[in-house]
């Protein structure tokens, strides 16, 4: 067994002191692999850059020589029946839901950031000891055994866990079916906690109702409510961390909708991704990039379902739900990446630039574009007497619960098994999943079956609406590819213009110092605003919302 001991001698330094005790029974080469990325974000994080003062000692407290095989893999030679102590400091100054932060008020970290995989002992249990006497309350998603010790079953469980030590964290809980759900809040609370818990109870109950069971006996929502603007959530099997701010804004219903949205999203991940997972990600290999084309299933499905369950549970009204969809549609109206990459290709390329804007219109967003795919498939399935929630319950039973990774074709066959018209679904797949057609056209027509209508209105921003130019502080951020300005102006140009209905005179200064003047016709309309109008109720809407 391996054992981690965590301490923090000087919180002001923001360094944790971490000791890893390794008991070795045979003479061998020991490899210590630090994760290069974390689950839920398919992008290299290179956590090794936050380590200093790395050393290894034997049971006689003698320093042992070691080598580095790569930027995040250390190795040393062991003797038979010896115990070794790996000691290092880890810098905790990244306050987000997947990071680590230390100050005078708390010690917070995700184990994926700072714990080594001992390659020869990956399936062995790992004990955790926490030496943080300055903090009265310690929250850890690793369960304790009968002796009161934190024991992770193996490395994959360890690095899917979070620890928060604090003197001010507040705690509430509620039960759903046979599981206990904990709410831990670090930060100021500016909302009614009773109403908050009631909403969590509702969407939790409804998600569990449709899956039939919850995978864990206990689950933890860990909230970092911050004094500055922030929004992030990360899923784990036994809990989630959500960072959001400013905390004072949560007194406003609009900001509370954001918190409820990310919370329902992350809870849905307890099934989808944490357990229902493509075969290439089961188990995770955190030492290098692991490519997948399943981004629309990982995040698109979860984005749609997270909001849908707020609607189905009554936490969101239909108006609030559609406002979330309008936001998604607006992002997609402004993006033409579907012309250049389908969602399978964009998923594969997450490791390149999946979480940054990237070059203009190169890719689609697996969250927003993927959620529209799922929305459309759900409506198609409801027309066939099924639904996407039913598909996900089957995915849980066939893949998630038995811990069996799925292939893309296996998951797609689950969907085809719910219809007597597989050619309709295959055409959809060929056009909008493996193909490069604009799903907005299809969505705008399909949503009418709910008695909801897709309405395009002119963009009130004169330059964006009339000329297809999006700016910030007079700097061009984006140019519509069909705009007459596309051949004349460049991203980064500083511009000024005059308002006119038929023509727009523009003065532009380029980064190289050159200045230009153009006059553009304004006969077209670009970057429209999207609204979803509720009309008559339909039978499909009743089934969809139930």
């Amino acid at each position: 067994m391996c054992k981690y001991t965590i301490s923090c001698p000087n919180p002001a330094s923001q360094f944790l002191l971490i000791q890893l005790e390794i008991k070795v029974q045979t003479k061998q080469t020991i490899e210590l692999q630090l994760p290069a990325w974390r689950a839920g974000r398919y992008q290299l994080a290179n956590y090794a850059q936050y380590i200093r003062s790395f050393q290894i000692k034997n049971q006689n407290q003698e320093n042992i020589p070691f080598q580095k095989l790569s930027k995040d893999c250390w190795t040393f030679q062991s003797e038979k029946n010896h115990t070794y102590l790996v000691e290092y400091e880890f810098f905790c100054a990244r306050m987000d839901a997947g990071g680590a932060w230390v100050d005078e008020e708390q010690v917070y970290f995700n184990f994926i950031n700072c714990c080594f995989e001992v390659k020869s002992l990956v399936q062995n249990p790992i004990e955790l000891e926490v030496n943080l006497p300055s903090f009265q309350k310690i929250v850890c998603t690793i369960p304790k055994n009968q002796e009161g010790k934190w024991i992770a079953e193996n490395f994959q469980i360890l690095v899917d866990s979070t620890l928060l030590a604090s003197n001010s964290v507040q705690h509430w809980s509620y039960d759903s079916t046979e599981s206990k759900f904990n709410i831990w809040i670090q930060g100021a609370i500016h909302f009614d906690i009773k109403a908050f818990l009631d909403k969590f109870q509702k969407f939790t109950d409804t998600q569990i109702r449709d899956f039939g069971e919850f995978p864990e006996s206990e689950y933890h929502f860990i909230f970092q409510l911050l004094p500055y603007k922030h929004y992030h959530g990360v899923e784990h099997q036994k809990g989630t961390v959500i960072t959001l701010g400013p905390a004072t804004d949560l007194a406003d219903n609009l900001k509370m909708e954001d918190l409820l949205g990310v919370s329902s999203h992350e809870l849905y991940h307890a099934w989808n991704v944490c357990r229902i997972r493509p075969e290439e990600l089961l188990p995770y290999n955190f030492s290098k990039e692991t490519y997948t084309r399943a981004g629309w299933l990982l995040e698109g499905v979860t984005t749609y379902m997270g909001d849908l369950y707020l609607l189905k549970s009554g936490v969101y009204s239909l108006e609030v739900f559609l406002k979330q969809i309008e936001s998604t549609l607006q992002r997609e109206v402004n993006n033409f990446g579907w012309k250049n990459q389908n969602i399978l290709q964009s998923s594969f390329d997450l490791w390149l630039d999946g979480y940054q804007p990237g070059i203009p219109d190169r890719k689609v967003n697996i969250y927003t574009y993927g959620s529209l795919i799922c929305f459309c498939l759900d409506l198609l399935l409801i027309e066939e007497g099924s639904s996407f929630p039913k598909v996900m319950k089957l995915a849980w039973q066939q893949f998630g619960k038995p811990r069996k990774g799925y292939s893309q074709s296996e998951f797609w066959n689950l969907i085809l098994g719910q219809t007597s018209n597989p050619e309709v679904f295959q055409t959809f797949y060929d056009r909008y999943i493996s193909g490069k057609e604009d799903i907005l056209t299809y969505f705008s027509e399909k949503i009418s079956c709910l008695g909801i209508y897709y309405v395009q209105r002119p963009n009130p921003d004169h330059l964006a609406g009339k000329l297809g130019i999006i700016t910030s502080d007079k700097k061009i951020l984006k140019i519509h590819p069909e705009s007459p300005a596309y051949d004349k102006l460049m991203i980064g140009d500083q511009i000024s213009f005059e308002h006119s209905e038929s023509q727009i005179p523009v003065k532009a200064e380029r980064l190289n110092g050159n200045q230009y003047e153009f006059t553009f016709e304004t006969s077209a309309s670009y970057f429209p605003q999207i609204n979803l109008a509720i009309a008559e109720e339909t039978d499909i809407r009743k089934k969809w919302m139930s």
Side-chain angles (χ1 to χ4, degrees):
M1 178 183 285
C2 297
K3 178 182 177 181
Y4 275 98
T5 301
I6 309 292
S7 60
C8 186
N10 178 15
S13 73
Q14 295 197 284
F15 277 97
L16 289 178
L17 176 61
I18 302 178
Q19 295 175 318
L20 167 60
E21 183 182 301
I22 306 172
K23 295 181 179 179
V24 183
Q25 296 179 341
T26 61
K27 185 175 182 178
Q28 59 180 296
T29 299
I30 301 293
E31 288 187 16
L32 304 171
Q33 176 68 59
L34 193 74
W37 60 283
R38 64 165 177 79
R41 192 170 185 90
Y42 311 98
Q43 181 183 58
L44 292 177
N46 293 320
Y47 297 118
Q49 65 187 300
Y50 305 114
I51 284 180
R52 76 177 189 187
S53 302
F54 182 93
Q55 57 183 319
I56 304 174
K57 294 182 179 180
N58 62 17
Q59 56 203 29
N60 298 320
Q61 291 298 303
E62 298 169 330
N63 285 326
I64 298 298
F66 61 86
Q67 293 181 327
K68 288 192 75 172
L69 299 182
S70 68
K71 58 182 168 51
D72 42 30
C73 184
W74 286 254
T75 182
F76 69 95
Q77 299 297 318
S78 74
E79 299 295 329
K80 184 178 180 180
N81 295 325
H82 272 51
T83 299
Y84 296 89
L85 188 68
V86 181
E87 185 175 283
Y88 53 99
E89 294 175 302
F90 188 84
F91 190 54
C92 303
R94 297 166 314 287
M95 174 53 81
D96 61 45
W101 181 267
V102 169
D103 62 19
E104 71 280 4
E105 295 183 348
Q106 64 175 307
V107 168
Y108 152 68
F109 64 93
N110 288 279
F111 289 86
I112 188 75
N113 295 179
C114 57
C115 290
F116 286 97
E117 178 180 11
V118 184
K119 300 292 280 187
S120 57
L121 302 172
V122 291
Q123 295 303 320
N124 287 20
I126 302 166
E127 182 181 346
L128 172 66
E129 181 178 323
V130 179
N131 181 20
L132 298 169
S134 299
F135 299 97
Q136 298 175 3
K137 184 65 181 179
I138 298 175
V139 181
C140 185
T141 56
I142 297 172
K144 287 186 175 180
N145 65 9
Q146 294 180 342
E147 299 174 355
K149 296 180 179 180
W150 282 296
I151 304 291
E153 296 173 27
N154 52 48
F155 177 75
Q156 294 273 321
I157 296 297
L158 175 72
V159 295
D160 194 34
S161 305
T162 303
L163 185 141
L164 169 63
S166 168
N167 291 325
S168 57
V169 65
Q170 299 184 66
H171 177 241
W172 294 267
S173 67
Y174 61 94
D175 295 325
S176 185
T177 59
E178 299 178 356
S179 300
K180 178 181 179 181
F181 292 82
N182 299 280
I183 304 283
W184 303 96
I185 298 180
Q186 177 70 20
I189 298 175
H190 294 272
F191 51 86
D192 182 270
I193 195 67
K194 185 177 183 300
F196 184 76
L197 292 172
D198 179 64
K199 291 178 172 65
F200 272 66
Q201 181 83 60
K202 286 179 178 178
F203 73 69
T204 302
D205 289 348
T206 310
Q207 288 193 23
I208 294 175
R209 179 201 70 186
D210 282 3
F211 273 110
E213 59 187 320
F214 192 70
E216 297 289 339
S217 60
E218 189 166 10
Y219 186 88
H220 301 268
F221 288 95
I222 300 174
F223 294 96
Q224 296 275 4
L225 301 185
L226 306 169
Y228 50 86
K229 188 175 181 180
H230 198 79
Y231 178 89
H232 192 213
V234 172
E235 70 271 15
H236 301 286
Q237 291 187 51
K238 300 178 185 296
T240 177
V241 180
I242 293 168
T243 52
L244 194 142
T248 52
D249 285 1
L250 291 172
D252 182 89
N253 287 337
L254 292 177
K255 294 298 181 182
M256 178 54 71
E257 288 166 11
D258 289 340
L259 183 56
L260 293 169
V262 68
S263 299
S264 181
H265 178 108
E266 300 305 337
L267 180 63
Y268 198 84
H269 270 316
W271 291 276
N272 191 39
V273 179
C274 286
R275 293 170 177 83
I276 305 169
R277 198 185 306 169
E279 56 192 1
E280 58 268 25
L281 297 177
L282 191 66
Y284 291 118
N285 180 354
F286 293 113
S287 67
K288 62 180 181 180
E289 300 95 327
T290 305
Y291 296 97
T292 180
R293 292 179 171 83
W296 74 275
L297 294 169
L298 300 173
E299 295 296 350
V301 167
T302 307
T303 298
Y304 170 68
M305 289 296 195
D307 284 344
L308 180 65
Y309 276 101
L310 291 169
L311 174 66
K312 288 163 72 74
S313 63
V315 173
Y316 276 0
S317 65
L318 180 58
E319 290 79 4
V320 170
F321 173 84
L322 293 181
K323 184 182 66 177
Q324 305 297 322
I325 301 301
E326 285 175 352
S327 177
T328 295
L329 292 168
Q330 203 63 56
R331 292 180 65 179
E332 290 306 314
V333 162
N334 295 346
N335 179 31
F336 300 92
W338 53 269
K339 292 185 175 182
N340 298 302
Q341 273 196 346
N342 63 41
I343 199 166
L344 306 179
Q345 295 166 328
S346 293
S347 177
F348 193 88
D349 276 1
L350 283 170
W351 297 95
L352 278 176
D353 64 350
Y355 301 91
Q356 289 82 38
I359 64 173
D361 301 323
R362 189 183 83 86
K363 63 193 176 187
V364 297
N365 185 300
I366 65 168
Y367 292 81
T368 54
Y369 198 90
S371 70
L372 295 178
I373 287 173
C374 186
F375 198 154
C376 293
L377 286 171
D378 194 19
L379 298 182
L380 284 170
L381 286 164
I382 292 171
E383 290 174 336
E384 293 283 314
S386 185
S387 68
F388 215 95
K390 290 181 181 178
V391 169
M392 292 306 295
K393 183 176 182 179
L394 289 173
W396 162 245
Q397 294 169 341
Q398 295 188 29
F399 304 117
K401 193 171 183 178
R403 298 282 183 167
K404 176 189 174 186
Y406 61 79
S407 66
Q408 289 262 12
S409 60
E410 286 175 322
F411 197 101
W412 187 247
N413 284 335
L414 281 185
I415 295 174
L416 294 183
Q418 299 296 297
T419 175
S420 57
N421 297 295
E423 65 280 355
V424 173
F425 287 79
Q426 193 59 50
T427 298
F428 180 92
Y429 187 96
D430 294 342
R431 294 177 67 183
Y432 305 112
I433 299 177
S434 65
K436 298 176 184 176
E437 293 191 38
D438 182 11
I439 198 170
L440 290 183
T441 301
Y442 183 89
F443 178 88
S444 66
E445 299 170 354
K446 194 65 190 173
I447 198 172
S448 63
C449 72
L450 297 176
I452 297 168
Y453 296 95
Y454 181 100
V455 180
Q456 288 192 175
R457 305 185 191 279
N459 193 318
D461 183 301
H462 190 75
L463 197 62
K466 293 292 186 179
L467 194 53
I469 296 176
I470 297 175
T471 63
S472 177
D473 295 327
K474 299 184 178 181
K475 178 188 285 189
I476 295 179
L477 301 180
K478 188 177 185 66
I479 306 174
H480 195 290
E482 296 175 4
S483 166
Y486 192 76
D487 296 331
K488 304 294 184 182
L489 299 175
M490 292 175 59
I491 290 174
D493 284 355
Q494 290 281 346
I495 66 169
S496 60
F497 69 99
E498 295 179 13
H499 287 269
S500 172
E501 288 302 317
S502 59
Q503 292 182 329
I504 299 182
V506 175
K507 294 180 180 180
E509 182 175 347
R510 200 144 290 165
L511 289 174
N512 61 13
N514 291 343
Q515 297 183 353
Y516 303 92
E517 293 187 19
F518 302 103
T519 297
F520 299 103
E521 301 294 329
T522 60
S523 57
S525 179
Y526 304 96
F527 299 126
Q529 284 194 330
I530 306 302
N531 295 110
L532 297 175
I534 302 172
E536 73 282 355
E537 186 174 61
T538 66
D539 289 339
I540 290 179
R541 190 201 295 177
K542 292 177 183 178
K543 295 175 183 178
W544 173 65
M545 292 179 62
S546 65

